[in-house]
Structure formats: C-alpha cells, structure tokens
Amino acid sequence: MKSSVKALSVCLAAAVATVATAVAALAFPQPAFAQDPQSCRAVRFADIGWTDITSTTALASTVFEGLGYQPVTTVASVPISFAGLKTRQLDVSLGYWWPVQETAIAPFVDAKAINVLQTPNLTGAKATFAVPTYEYDAGLKTFADIAKHRAELDGKIYGIEPGSSANAAIQKMIATNQFSLGGFKLIESSEAGMLVTVDRAVRDKKWVVFLG
C-alpha cells in the first residue's frame, strides 16, 4: 500500500485539501490561493526515483500548477526525502510504501515531524520478489524455491537503491538465512539499473530474481 506523507505545514494542508477536491471534480478551478503569502506558493515534492512515484508526482504537480502554485521536484533517496520533510526542505512525498518503510518513517512520525495521510493513494499493490515467466514455469514459484535454484541465479538477488527499506529487508533475510537464502548476494542499484539487468537477462533467457 502506498500513502502520501507531508511535512506539518498549515498552508500545504490547505493546498492538499483543495487539490483533492479539484481531482475529484475532474476539473481545474481558477487559482484558489492568490491571496496566500508567497511562502505558500512553492510546493516541494520528493521523488525517490521509482516509476510509480515519478508518475504520481508529475500528475500532482500538474494539478498544483493549475491552482496557481509553483511545484518543484527533488529526486532523493527514501532516507534523504524523510529527512528533508523533517527539516522542511521538502513538503510532500507521494511514495511511502507501507509496511516496508514503516520502520524507516516511525521516528519521524513519532516526533510529529512527518504526517502520513490516512487515505492511501494506491491499495492492493505488492512489493515482493519477482521472476520471469520461464523461471516460474520451471519451478521457482515461492521464496523457498529461490535457494533451490542458487546455481542458475548465480547466487544473486537484485534490489533497488542502497539505503532503501526493501533492500534492508532482503539483506536481513540473507543474514538470518530465511528461506535458506544465506550466502546470496544482494545487488543494489537504482530501479532503472535493476530493470536494465532484468531486461538483458530475459532477452538471453538467463535466470534472475529481483524486487518487483
């Protein structure tokens, strides 16, 4: 499940409420905050570089711009984006994945530095291990099957960017030998880099397991 997080800001809270109304109406109203101080005009988004978040951030930025705001997007890792929200260098992130990032965000939420919006912007989605169809058909269907195909996978699991909660969860599985994954190597990369590797493996019909 993916939710939105924002820094505690009165003018931003009002803007988010107005944007939600505008989206629900499927129409852009006239700029609604012409009377707002200039400090409330800029809306600073965090984009952690994942395709879904880049897309939703671009859509939200278009809506904000239509309302007369000045959206700015900064590409940053998950830890840096949370820190930026805490210090008010950033205003909002549309990329909080629950529960995988719950541990990372908890100190900020407990300190009331970040507020998680209660209504998620995406439900029913999963972040988990994925494999090409030909591997699934050959028997790699569960986490427990990964270790059975250690040789074909060259003992590697492909993750996303260093410092991500998802990578930390995978590394913990390896370190504690869950599903007999002890000895596997986590290959950390960007989402784009990981997908390039997967695309190359699929073209060559090589085995690969990755975070999908």
Side-chain angles (χ1 to χ4, degrees):
M1 182 172 69
K2 182 161 69 72
S3 296
S4 304
V5 294
K6 65 180 180 65
L8 297 175
S9 166
V10 174
C11 59
L12 181 61
V16 169
T18 299
V19 168
T21 301
V23 172
L26 295 179
F28 292 123
Q30 293 296 316
F33 288 89
Q35 72 276 19
D36 278 356
Q38 188 63 33
S39 60
C40 284
R41 295 289 184 85
V43 180
R44 300 162 299 180
F45 285 93
D47 179 355
I48 61 177
W50 301 349
T51 302
D52 66 305
I53 297 165
T54 299
S55 300
T56 52
T57 299
L59 175 60
S61 295
T62 299
V63 176
F64 270 105
E65 193 169 10
L67 288 168
Y69 289 91
Q70 300 163 353
V72 177
T73 299
T74 298
V75 178
S77 66
V78 171
I80 291 175
S81 66
F82 286 167
L85 289 166
K86 177 183 178 180
T87 60
R88 307 296 177 86
Q89 293 176 299
L90 297 169
D91 296 311
V92 60
S93 169
L94 300 177
Y96 168 51
W97 278 91
W98 180 90
V100 70
Q101 293 176 0
E102 187 173 17
T103 300
I105 203 174
F108 300 100
V109 174
D110 292 344
K112 300 188 184 305
I114 292 178
N115 183 35
V116 179
L117 301 186
Q118 293 304 307
T119 303
N121 59 51
L122 178 65
T123 59
K126 292 183 179 181
T128 185
F129 288 139
V131 298
T133 301
Y134 54 83
E135 292 179 34
Y136 183 88
D137 292 341
L140 204 169
K141 298 182 178 182
T142 69
F143 285 16
D145 294 327
I146 296 174
K148 299 175 185 177
H149 299 278
R150 185 184 300 264
E152 296 98 316
L153 295 166
D154 195 27
K156 297 176 181 177
I157 297 173
Y158 289 86
I160 49 177
E161 72 276 357
S164 68
S165 300
N167 280 8
I170 296 171
Q171 192 60 62
K172 182 178 179 180
M173 292 171 67
I174 293 172
T176 58
N177 198 33
Q178 292 184 49
F179 304 103
S180 300
L181 293 178
F184 268 81
K185 182 178 181 180
L186 172 63
I187 307 298
E188 297 183 301
S189 180
S190 64
E191 180 199 68
M194 177 191 70
L195 292 177
V196 167
T197 299
V198 172
D199 182 64
R200 186 182 301 117
V202 170
R203 288 201 310 267
D204 296 338
K205 288 295 187 289
K206 292 184 177 180
W207 282 55
V208 62
V209 59
F210 60 98
L211 182 67

